């Protein structure tokens, strides 16, 4: 439950952060000039205006927008989750104190974090940043594995590159033409006089402080007192909500007469072209013929044409000389001009105060004095694409390819999961099939324990136990030589196989104290353990000696339980594979038919009689390796058919887990084989 809530919290935070950063990046990129002006405002407020020329501000603004967008995009899709969360946190740790400082000192009124799309006060921005900071902390602390991935790692680069290119195109489009979405109050279709009016239901109420006979009292207009009262003071209060006008500083002063033409222009029901140039010094003059042709068109058709600029008279004169401009000029506030159109110069067509059209200098309307009148042409008609429609268009252009790629990725991902599951299931079945083909064996190695009577008692007890409950595997007991003949009489005709713990490396003759393979066989035993680590260590049995013993055992019709295994130092040095491979050399000369009579027993020496068991995974790993060696030296078939037992502190409590591994076919049991209940417990692990 707690985990689920944490998962929800992480993903909620991550989507909040993603939405804020994507929106912030896109709204900035849509209007690089807007960000340029904002950065210049900041630079000026901090006395660093000289460090922020136009080009630097544009590049910095676009980079900032790109980084914000990328971070938001990565957070949204769950791309580079860890690094993204960390960078976001660093970002927020930098910007939150900065916005607190801005809120306290108010050097610029609007922070500009969402361009012109959403204007926030500095305190609102600070509040927003606190929320984002908390979200990024959640993402860093708990989000490493909990952020839901929306696209696979192998294909994330496609959408990342696509989206970055798309968003950059947005920026370059805006620089070359105009912002794709116009959030400013001069957008096409905007009614400028309406945008110049304050909104809300605010009322201005004035009250007056009056005095009579030394007594002062406040009066409203409705109860204003008679002339026996004298006026002292007054105050005006705003009652209700006042929404300030979107356009608060639009005036057009005729450059030659100084006359304010604003009302006249805005009220004109005819067409007016406004050529807008915040500064003529920096304006593009490469398209001057187009500006002049449009002016000629206006002259021929009796439309108004004004050039609005905040440049001084000498700049105007220079422009006139340079471009041959004959049109009249008006002085207008610089910031307002920059807001009107993001191009220098840009062109606005007004009719009745409504913006009918808007063009950057790179895309001036192709008209001259012979062109049809605006009343009869498309140019003069208002085509309100509308901000919403435009935004939707943009959104769809961006989102549809993204959705398609993401959808295909998810389908692919889903399919590969199903295929993998099926493959895994198939593999397990295959493994199990292989395993069921092989003999499952539990063999006991009594070592040098139990006298004859004890051995007979144990064998008898085991025989009875297994007669009562048939085992699900082959059972073998390997006893000292002295037990063999007697125990053979007990095990004969039962499920229990009998084996010796050793045999001589000589066929027969004067080898005092030795017991040959033939002699073992003659007792009724069917198996012999060879290569046990205790014999290798204490009796110096080498690969060559064991080779002889294996040959003799097989030649005498005994099945060999061949032991291999590394000592602790070899395991710690990671040499276990090397060691067992070398020990197996005693078998490499055998034919496949001979190998069919060999059972392998992997017994890590550090686990024998120590109580320290190899983990089931360790056992599986090396058993798989051993099987691989057999496959390499004999054949796949031989490898699949040979049983490989595990030995070393195997008990009823751990046998089941070890035997469950696909390459473990049973156990060679030491200590636990000396008690019937324990040995039976291990045999039962196969049930
Ligand atoms: P333990 O089961 O006592 O560890 O001995 C294993 C063994 O050596 C069997 O051959």
């Amino acid at each position: 439950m707690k985990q689920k809530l944490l998962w929800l919290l992480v993903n909620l935070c991550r989507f909040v952060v993603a939405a804020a950063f994507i929106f912030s990046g896109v709204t900035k990129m849509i209007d690089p000039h807007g960000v340029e002006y904002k950065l210049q405002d900041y630079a000026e407020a901090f006395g660093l205006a000289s460090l922020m020329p136009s080009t630097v501000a544009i590049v910095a603004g676009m980079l900032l927008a790109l980084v914000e967008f990328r971070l938001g995009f990565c957070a949204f899709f769950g791309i580079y989750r860890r690094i993204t969360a960390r960078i976001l946190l660093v970002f927020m740790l930098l910007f939150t104190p900065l916005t607190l400082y801005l809120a306290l000192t108010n050097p610029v009124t609007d922070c500009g974090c969402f361009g012109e799309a959403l204007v926030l006060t500095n305190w609102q921005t600070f509040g927003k940043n606190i929320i984002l900071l908390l979200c990024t902390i959640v993402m860093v602390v708990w989000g490493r594995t909990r952020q839901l991935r929306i696209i696979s790692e192998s294909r994330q680069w496609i959408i990342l590159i696509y989206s970055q290119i798309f968003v950059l195109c947005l920026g370059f489009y805006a620089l070359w033409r105009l912002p794709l979405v116009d959030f400013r109050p001069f957008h096409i279709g905007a009614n400028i006089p309406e945008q110049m009016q304050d909104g809300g239901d605010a009322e201005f109420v004035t009250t007056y402080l009056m005095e009579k006979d030394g007594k002062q009292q406040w009066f409203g207009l409705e109860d204003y007192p008679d002339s026996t009262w004298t006026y002292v003071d007054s105050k005006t209060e705003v009652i209700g909500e006042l929404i300030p006008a979107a356009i608060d500083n639009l005036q057009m002063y005729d450059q030659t007469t100084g006359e304010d033409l604003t009302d006249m222009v805005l009220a004109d029901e005819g067409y007016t072209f406004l050529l807008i140039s915040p500064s003529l010094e920096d304006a593009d003059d490469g398209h001057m013929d187009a500006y002049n042709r449009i002016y000629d068109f206006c002259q021929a058709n009796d439309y108004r044409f004004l050039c609005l600029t905040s440049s001084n008279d000498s700049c105007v004169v220079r422009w006139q000389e340079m471009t041959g401009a004959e049109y009249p000029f008006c002085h207008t506030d610089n910031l307002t001009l920059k807001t009107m159109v993001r191009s220098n110069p840009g062109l606005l067509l007004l009719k009745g105060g409504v913006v009918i059209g808007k063009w950057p200098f790179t895309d001036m309307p192709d008209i001259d004095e012979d062109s049809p009148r605006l009343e009869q042409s498309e140019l003069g008609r208002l085509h309100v694409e509308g901000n919403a429609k435009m935004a939707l268009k943009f959104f769809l252009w961006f989102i549809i390819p993204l959705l398609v790629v993401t959808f295909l990725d998810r389908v692919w991902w889903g399919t590969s999961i199903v295929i993998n599951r099926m493959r895994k299931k198939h593999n397990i079945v295959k493994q199990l099939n292989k395993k069921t083909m092989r003999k499952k064996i539990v063999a006991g190695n009594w070592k040098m324990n139990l006298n004859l009577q004890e051995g007979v008692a144990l064998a008898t007890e085991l025989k009875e136990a297994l007669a009562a409950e048939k085992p699900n595997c082959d059972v073998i007991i390997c006893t000292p030589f002295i037990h063999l003949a007697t125990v053979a009489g007990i095990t004969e005709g039962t499920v229990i196989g009998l084996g010796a713990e050793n045999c001589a490396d000589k066929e027969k003759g004067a080898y005092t104290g030795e017991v040959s393979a033939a002699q073992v066989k003659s007792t009724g035993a069917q198996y012999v353990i060879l290569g046990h680590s205790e014999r290798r260590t204490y009796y110096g049995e080498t690969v060559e000696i064991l080779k002889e013993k294996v040959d003799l055992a097989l030649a005498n019709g005994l099945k060999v339980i061949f032991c291999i295994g590394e000592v602790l130092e070899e395991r710690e040095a990671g040499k276990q594979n090397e060691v067992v491979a070398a020990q197996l050399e005693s078998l490499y000369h055998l034919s496949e038919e001979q190998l069919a009579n060999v059972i392998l027993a992997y017994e890590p020496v550090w686990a024998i009689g120590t109580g320290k068991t190899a983990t089931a995974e360790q056992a599986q790993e090396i058993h798989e390796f051993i099987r691989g060696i057999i496959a390499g030296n004999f054949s796949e078939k031989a490898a699949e058919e040979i049983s490989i037992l595990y030995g070393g502190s195997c008990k009823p409590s751990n046998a089941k887990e070890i035997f469950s591994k696909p390459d473990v076919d049973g156990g060679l049991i030491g200590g636990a084989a000396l008690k019937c209940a324990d040995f039976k417990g291990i045999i039962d692990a196969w049930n």
Side-chain angles (χ1 to χ4, degrees), residues 625-646:
F625 171 76
I626 294 165
R627 207 177 291 288
I629 292 198
I630 299 297
N633 284 284
F634 295 89
S635 68
E636 277 290 340
K637 182 171 170 286
E640 273 174 28
E641 285 175 359
I642 196 162
S643 294
I644 308 177
L645 314 184
Y646 167 80

Side-chain angles (χ1 to χ4, degrees), residues 70 88 135 192 285 287 368 374 412 466 491 503 541 595 663 673 680:
R70 187 187 161 107
L88 280 166
C135 289
I192 295 177
D285 55 10
H287 299 76
D368 56 26
L374 290 175
W412 183 260
L466 297 183
T491 56
C503 73
E541 292 192 355
L595 191 74
D663 285 298
K680 171 79 168 39

